[in-house]
Amino acid sequence: MKFHTKIYLLFSGYLLSVEKMSPMSAVKSRLLPAITTVTSVGVGVLLGVQYERKALPFPSVLAKTSSPSDEVDTRTVPGHLVPVPPMPGPQSSPGKAGQIMRYGFPGLTDLKSREGYVVSYDRRNRNPHWVFEHLTSAHVRGDSDRQQCDFKEDETIHPYFRATNWDFKRSGYDRGHLAAAANHRHSQTAMGDTFYLSNISPQVGEGFNRDAWNRLEMYVRGLTKQFNNVYICTGPLYLPRKEVDGKMYVKYEVIGRNHVAVPTHFFKVIACETNKGELILESYVMPNAKIDNNLPLKNFLVPVESIERASGLLLFDRIPRNAFKAINGRQP
Amino acid sequence: MKFHTKIYLLFSGYLLSVEKMSPMSAVKSRLLPAITTVTSVGVGVLLGVQYERKALPFPSVLAKTSSPSDEVDTRTVPGHLVPVPPMPGPQSSPGKAGQIMRYGFPGLTDLKSREGYVVSYDRRNRNPHWVFEHLTSAHVRGDSDRQQCDFKEDETIHPYFRATNWDFKRSGYDRGHLAAAANHRHSQTAMGDTFYLSNISPQVGEGFNRDAWNRLEMYVRGLTKQFNNVYICTGPLYLPRKEVDGKMYVKYEVIGRNHVAVPTHFFKVIACETNKGELILESYVMPNAKIDNNLPLKNFLVPVESIERASGLLLFDRIPRNAFKAINGRQP
């Protein structure tokens, strides 16, 4: 399988090692996605509720900080130093998350739902974790104008974790869309939303963002002619590779004073639905590097499981894999 | 400030660049933690509910996969290939997260609430994101026996993302606790829970896990003698450093076939509460490396904001910073 060999190389030795996993455990492991997802969302909800319902020890201060338009740092306002009331003996109910994290919950991944996409933002790497889109032929047509869009900071993200246009200045990298602007031509707002920097990763410009990756994006838009509904999950990868000492290392550049990570690779997993309700799945990984323009897109097909392992995400896991008519061009 | 210079060096140049941020934006940015946390939990809850309430297209198949005891991979069972019913035109309600992610939600961070701690698991790096504990003098006393505890896989984590004991074999790294075993001597179960590999990171043994880091853990337990309540957040860091080409890179080893990341540093942020309700805060960062045993712990104090920026987390953000009586030994 020539093209598999090629993609294994591009994938920097990552697949070689993950593919060695025993097939038995791989089979069993497909069982759990739904459960795990439900569980983690469930726990999130539980903790969220528990956290929200916990009486706040600083009502006056927190009332102030809850207003986004309030520009005063209440910590510097005299008279706001309220003593913390002693709390009841903690031994009485060990292990209550709300009690353990009484003074703050470090946070879940930031989730933003926009007109054309949903993004989970990686606050540590100042990149998206993943961006989800749903496209139809109607979404990708229209007269929205890219020239009217500007790259903009996402002010819903805490300033500590927010990528800025300055971070990209003189970095040598493009501000690469994960939800592509041209996927949302039907609405100027939807197109504009794709210019939030929370939908952007640093991408190699020539040979990648403007070439191979753009070809993949055009291919995805083309799928809306054949299929009624096209669902896309796009995200960055930080793949390890073996160095001369024989050990595996993850290594990536960070740019700007906010240390925006430069992913080593990007993935795109696409589920297409026909009008008969049949589904096909395709999953791609491309290195964030100059790519030979003659390489066909199918060279970048990789098993979706490999992307799941590398990204820490479960993709289209509500559909049993054998319910797809085809995965990467073959019957599952 | 001699010790600051030292810790800056240990912190691999990270702080130097983040400290350059304008003080104005730093001040303003302290306003948003509460809002951001509430927003992200809120959105999480919203999405979770929306996701859960969405009618599932495969009731029979999903009923099967929802049972954890079910060992059959339904994808390989004949007769389970149910055609997907065509869905109503998506243009009617653009931007609905449940619709965009109809076939699967890639997941939030895994959250686990155990008897003695709460952990947020990083599925990409197969390490905790953070571990939260609440200690009192009663928690750290008792006759629980470490010898009765074994390191164990956390079976609540999907096999794709789960660290195993095999991953650590011959890696040269200790299986280092983030919630320390000895913090939970009051209960054999609580101590046993700290041996889940979801509470473990690969740590340098000699000079770190068994020495400097252990000294820090003992110091924290000692705080329960002075303070009624001690809250601790512990986690890994993956800090960038400047290389010879003048660019900043994050680089870390990954071990085992599951590619468990070896963090470059670890942090510990501690909030102590007196019986008068006064609070003090201390925040430490140590490199995951052999550390000179003569260095005092205070050399590893760093501004908590630096840890927040580097980790992507907001720590003890429900308390306005000026409400602490002391932060790292000084009045805020």
Side-chain angles (χ1 to χ4, degrees):
Chain A
M1 300 290 302
K2 199 171 153 222
F3 86 80
H4 265 100
T5 316
K6 266 194 197 158
I7 194 63
Y8 279 146
L9 288 173
L10 281 164
F11 216 25
S12 309
Y14 183 83
L15 292 186
L16 283 171
S17 46
V18 294
E19 291 306 302
K20 277 187 220 142
M21 307 286 293
S22 85
M24 195 53 206
S25 76
V27 167
K28 275 191 196 165
S29 65
R30 282 310 311 173
L31 261 181
L32 295 172
I35 306 160
T36 311
T37 308
V38 170
T39 310
S40 52
V41 174
V43 173
V45 171
L46 217 95
L47 279 172
V49 170
Q50 208 171 358
Y51 181 68
E52 290 312 299
R53 285 187 189 158
K54 190 86 191 165
L56 299 177
F58 293 106
S60 58
V61 173
L62 282 163
K64 266 196 165 295
T65 55
S66 298
S67 154
S69 62
D70 185 344
E71 288 280 313
V72 183
D73 183 353
T74 51
R75 292 178 308 138
T76 61
V77 178
H80 272 276
L81 189 64
V82 188
V84 182
M87 61 185 298
Q91 293 89 332
S92 56
S93 52
K96 287 277 168 58
Q99 186 172 282
I100 290 176
M101 294 180 287
R102 187 181 182 212
Y103 295 125
F105 182 86
L108 298 167
T109 300
D110 280 331
L111 273 171
K112 317 282 171 195
S113 187
R114 298 252 145 83
E115 188 176 323
Y117 63 92
V118 178
V119 59
S120 161
Y121 187 73
D122 178 354
R123 304 198 301 184
R124 187 169 64 208
N125 279 339
R126 292 78 153 114
N127 264 260
H129 261 310
W130 49 261
V131 175
F132 232 100
E133 294 167 276
H134 166 223
L135 300 184
T136 65
S137 56
H139 283 103
V140 303
R141 278 176 308 192
D143 53 5
S144 297
D145 184 7
R146 206 187 155 106
Q147 301 307 316
Q148 287 178 39
C149 304
D150 281 319
F151 289 101
K152 54 198 171 192
E153 289 184 26
D154 186 341
E155 300 200 341
T156 67
I157 289 168
H158 188 285
Y160 282 5
F161 315 128
R162 194 190 296 164
T164 68
N165 283 314
W166 276 103
D167 293 319
F168 288 84
K169 275 264 184 339
R170 282 181 294 278
S171 69
Y173 294 100
D174 279 11
R175 288 167 291 188
H177 289 75
L178 294 200
N183 291 358
H184 303 278
R185 284 210 190 93
H186 69 291
S187 148
Q188 190 67 46
T189 311
M191 181 180 274
D193 279 358
T194 69
F195 284 75
Y196 280 116
L197 292 180
S198 50
N199 176 47
I200 297 294
S201 286
Q203 292 186 330
V204 168
E206 201 183 326
F208 183 75
N209 183 36
R210 304 169 208 167
D211 298 291
W213 187 249
N214 185 42
R215 271 195 289 140
L216 178 58
E217 289 176 339
M218 288 192 294
Y219 167 74
V220 170
R221 283 193 288 279
L223 291 171
T224 61
K225 290 178 194 159
Q226 284 178 64
F227 297 97
N228 276 23
N229 291 296
V230 177
Y231 300 87
I232 313 147
C233 185
T234 308
L237 294 171
Y238 307 88
L239 298 185
R241 65 172 155 188
K242 197 172 266 186
E243 295 203 356
V244 285
D245 63 3
K247 295 178 180 176
M248 301 283 285
Y249 293 92
V250 168
K251 183 180 178 184
Y252 53 90
E253 193 181 344
V254 296
I255 59 171
R257 67 181 185 183
N258 290 305
H259 292 164
V260 178
V262 182
T264 63
H265 295 69
F266 291 94
F267 72 82
K268 208 178 257 300
V269 181
I270 308 142
C272 303
E273 190 187 274
T274 66
N275 55 7
K276 282 187 244 162
E278 286 170 341
L279 283 167
I280 69 150
L281 193 72
E282 291 188 358
S283 55
Y284 295 87
V285 169
M286 282 187 178
N288 190 11
K290 196 168 171 165
I291 292 172
D292 180 351
N293 240 326
N294 296 315
L295 286 176
L297 287 178
K298 75 171 180 355
N299 282 28
F300 300 94
L301 287 169
V302 297
V304 65
E305 288 77 8
S306 305
I307 297 173
E308 290 179 311
R309 286 181 189 278
S311 62
L313 307 172
L314 295 171
L315 300 166
F316 298 105
D317 60 307
R318 300 182 91 186
I319 307 292
R321 287 284 150 88
N322 71 349
F324 285 97
K325 202 183 160 206
I327 296 180
N328 291 344
R330 293 181 205 181
Q331 213 181 333
Chain B
M1 300 290 301
K2 196 170 154 223
F3 84 79
H4 265 98
T5 315
K6 266 196 195 157
I7 194 64
Y8 279 146
L9 288 173
L10 281 165
F11 216 27
S12 311
Y14 184 83
L15 291 186
L16 283 170
S17 47
V18 295
E19 292 308 303
K20 277 186 220 145
M21 304 288 291
S22 86
M24 197 51 207
S25 74
V27 166
K28 275 192 196 164
S29 65
R30 282 308 313 170
L31 260 181
L32 294 171
I35 306 160
T36 310
T37 308
V38 169
T39 310
S40 51
V41 174
V43 172
V45 171
L46 218 94
L47 279 173
V49 170
Q50 207 172 359
Y51 182 68
E52 292 311 299
R53 285 189 188 155
K54 190 83 192 168
L56 299 177
F58 294 106
S60 59
V61 172
L62 282 164
K64 263 194 166 297
T65 54
S66 298
S67 156
S69 62
D70 187 342
E71 286 280 313
V72 183
D73 182 353
T74 51
R75 293 177 306 137
T76 62
V77 177
H80 272 275
L81 188 64
V82 187
V84 181
M87 61 185 298
Q91 293 88 332
S92 56
S93 51
K96 289 275 170 56
Q99 186 171 282
I100 290 175
M101 295 180 286
R102 186 181 183 212
Y103 295 125
F105 183 87
L108 297 167
T109 300
D110 279 332
L111 273 170
K112 317 281 171 197
S113 186
R114 299 252 144 84
E115 188 175 324
Y117 64 92
V118 178
V119 58
S120 160
Y121 188 73
D122 178 355
R123 303 199 300 186
R124 186 169 64 206
N125 280 339
R126 291 79 154 114
N127 264 262
H129 261 310
W130 49 262
V131 175
F132 232 101
E133 295 167 276
H134 166 223
L135 300 185
T136 66
S137 57
H139 283 103
V140 303
R141 278 177 309 193
D143 52 6
S144 297
D145 184 6
R146 204 187 156 106
Q147 301 307 316
Q148 287 177 39
C149 304
D150 282 319
F151 289 101
K152 54 199 171 191
E153 290 183 27
D154 186 341
E155 300 202 340
T156 66
I157 290 168
H158 188 285
Y160 282 6
F161 314 129
R162 194 189 298 164
T164 68
N165 283 314
W166 276 103
D167 293 319
F168 288 85
K169 275 264 182 344
R170 282 182 292 280
S171 69
Y173 294 100
D174 280 9
R175 287 166 293 189
H177 288 75
L178 295 200
N183 290 358
H184 303 279
R185 283 208 190 93
H186 69 291
S187 148
Q188 190 68 46
T189 311
M191 182 180 273
D193 279 358
T194 68
F195 284 76
Y196 280 115
L197 292 180
S198 50
N199 176 48
I200 298 295
S201 285
Q203 291 187 332
V204 168
E206 202 184 325
F208 183 74
N209 183 37
R210 305 169 208 166
D211 298 290
W213 186 250
N214 186 42
R215 271 196 290 140
L216 179 57
E217 288 176 339
M218 288 191 295
Y219 167 75
V220 171
R221 282 192 290 278
L223 291 170
T224 62
K225 290 178 193 160
Q226 285 178 64
F227 296 97
N228 276 22
N229 292 296
V230 178
Y231 300 88
I232 312 147
C233 186
T234 308
L237 294 171
Y238 307 88
L239 298 184
R241 66 172 153 189
K242 197 172 268 186
E243 296 204 356
V244 285
D245 63 1
K247 296 178 181 175
M248 301 284 285
Y249 293 91
V250 169
K251 183 181 178 182
Y252 53 90
E253 194 182 342
V254 296
I255 59 171
R257 66 181 186 183
N258 291 305
H259 292 163
V260 178
V262 181
T264 64
H265 295 68
F266 290 93
F267 71 83
K268 208 179 259 300
V269 181
I270 308 143
C272 303
E273 190 186 276
T274 67
N275 55 8
K276 282 188 244 160
E278 286 171 341
L279 283 168
I280 69 149
L281 192 71
E282 291 188 358
S283 55
Y284 295 87
V285 169
M286 282 188 178
N288 190 10
K290 196 169 173 163
I291 291 172
D292 181 351
N293 241 327
N294 297 315
L295 286 176
L297 287 178
K298 73 171 185 344
N299 282 28
F300 299 95
L301 287 169
V302 298
V304 66
E305 290 75 11
S306 305
I307 297 173
E308 291 179 310
R309 287 179 189 279
S311 62
L313 306 171
L314 296 170
L315 299 167
F316 297 105
D317 59 307
R318 301 182 91 185
I319 308 292
R321 287 283 149 89
N322 72 350
F324 285 96
K325 201 185 162 205
I327 296 180
N328 291 343
R330 293 183 206 180
Q331 213 180 333

